[in-house]
Amino acid sequence: MTETPVSAGRSDLESARTVSIIVYGLYLAALINGLTAIVGVILAYVKRNDVRGTIYESHLDNAIEVFWVSLVISIVAMLTIWFGVGVIIFIGLFIWFIYRTIKGLVRAIDARPYF
C-alpha cells in the first residue's frame, strides 16, 4: 500500500521505519554471521501487524520473502554443490539477496514503499 492511514501517527510511522531499517541491517549482518537473518525475520513477523496499512508493510513483506526464498535456494545449492551447480546458485543467490536488501534499505531510509 502506498498510502498511510489517517489513524497512524507520526511516531508510529517513525517506529515502523526504524523496524524496517533494523531488519535490513540484520540481513546485511547475516552476510558475515548468518544468524542475524533469523532474528530479522522473527522481528519482521512480530512487527508485521503493527505496520499493516503503512508504506512499511511492503518492506516487511519483502524481508520475509527474501528470508524464505534464500533459505530454500541455499538448501538446493547445498544439495547440488557436488555437481558444481551449487556454486553458481550460491553466487546468484548472493547477488539477489544483496540487491533486494540494499534496495529495501535505501527505500526505507527514503520513506518509500518497497514495491
Side-chain angles (χ1 to χ4, degrees):
M1 305 198 95
T2 58
E3 295 182 0
T4 307
V6 178
S7 62
R10 186 157 187 78
S11 65
D12 293 340
L13 283 178
E14 280 301 313
S15 175
R17 180 175 177 250
T18 301
V19 167
S20 297
I21 292 169
I22 289 170
V23 168
Y24 288 127
L26 289 167
Y27 277 24
L28 290 175
L31 295 172
I32 297 168
N33 66 20
L35 296 177
T36 58
I38 297 169
V39 175
V41 77
I42 290 170
L43 180 60
Y45 272 115
V46 168
K47 292 295 188 175
R48 193 180 206 181
N49 286 332
D50 294 346
V51 302
R52 192 148 329 267
T54 69
I55 61 172
Y56 300 103
E57 180 178 8
S58 66
H59 287 283
L60 296 189
D61 288 344
N62 172 59
I64 291 167
E65 179 183 340
V66 165
F67 176 83
W68 289 112
V69 169
S70 295
L71 180 65
V72 170
I73 299 298
S74 292
I75 292 169
V76 170
M78 284 188 281
L79 293 174
T80 60
I81 198 84
W82 298 108
F83 305 111
V85 178
V87 175
I88 296 167
I89 294 172
F90 270 126
I91 291 169
L93 177 61
F94 177 79
I95 292 168
W96 178 82
F97 182 89
I98 291 285
Y99 171 76
R100 294 281 299 251
T101 303
I102 291 177
K103 176 185 174 186
L105 179 60
V106 168
R107 292 181 74 86
I109 289 170
D110 291 342
R112 294 171 43 204
Y114 181 83
F115 300 111

